[in-house]
Amino acid sequence: QVQLAESGGGLVQAGGSLTPTCELIETTWSYTRNTLAWSRQPPGKQRELVASMTSGGSPWYSDLAAGRFTISRDNAKKTATLQMNSLKPEDTAVYYCAYAQRYYSGSRPDVYTDWGQGTQVTVSS
């Protein structure tokens, strides 16, 4: 089992940047080959995966993230960050961190077994 704790959300004007961080807290033995992802849920919409990175360092980006968002991991610190640039009002959402017990690159949220509580990102126009 793992726990995930997000931080670093907030309020920003359109065109600005935010870099939320996910901390992976392992309560029992965890999988060496794993994937951390960021997903988001805009108001009134379904949750969607944004970006992910395996513990081996392979990134994946959804179409909405490509060119504006960058995911990174620090395996020693057990953190994953999502650098978000050129933010738009439609990026307003709760951003969640998720953990998969294997390598995965794709848009299926059911692959992820553990989720954080989320951090709110609000982009004003």
Side-chain angles (χ1 to χ4, degrees), residues 17 48 59 67 96 103 109 120 124:
S17 300
E48 57 187 352
Y96 297 90
Y103 283 176
Q120 176 70 46
S124 62

Side-chain angles (χ1 to χ4, degrees), residues 17-121:
S17 300
L18 278 174
T19 307
T21 297
C22 171
E23 181 182 4
L24 170 64
I25 303 167
E26 298 169 306
T27 57
T28 59
W29 179 83
S30 63
Y31 294 81
T32 301
R33 294 166 61 93
N34 60 69
T35 303
L36 285 174
W38 283 96
S39 69
R40 71 183 191 185
Q41 187 165 16
K45 298 184 179 180
Q46 290 188 332
R47 194 175 298 190
E48 57 187 352
L49 285 174
V50 174
S52 67
M53 181 170 278
T54 69
S55 51
S58 297
W60 170 86
Y61 294 98
S62 66
D63 290 342
L64 67 91
R68 294 192 300 132
F69 296 176
T70 303
I71 190 170
S72 61
R73 284 185 64 156
D74 185 327
N75 289 331
K77 295 181 179 179
K78 298 181 180 179
T79 59
T81 59
L82 185 67
Q83 174 70 45
M84 305 189 293
N85 298 324
S86 303
L87 285 165
K88 308 172 183 178
E90 50 264 43
D91 292 318
T92 294
V94 179
Y95 283 71
Y96 297 90
C97 185
Y99 174 89
Q101 296 172 359
R102 61 180 177 92
Y103 283 176
Y104 177 71
S105 294
S107 60
R108 288 177 50 195
D110 61 293
V111 172
Y112 293 88
T113 55
D114 299 272
W115 296 78
Q117 295 298 308
T119 184
Q120 176 70 46
V121 171

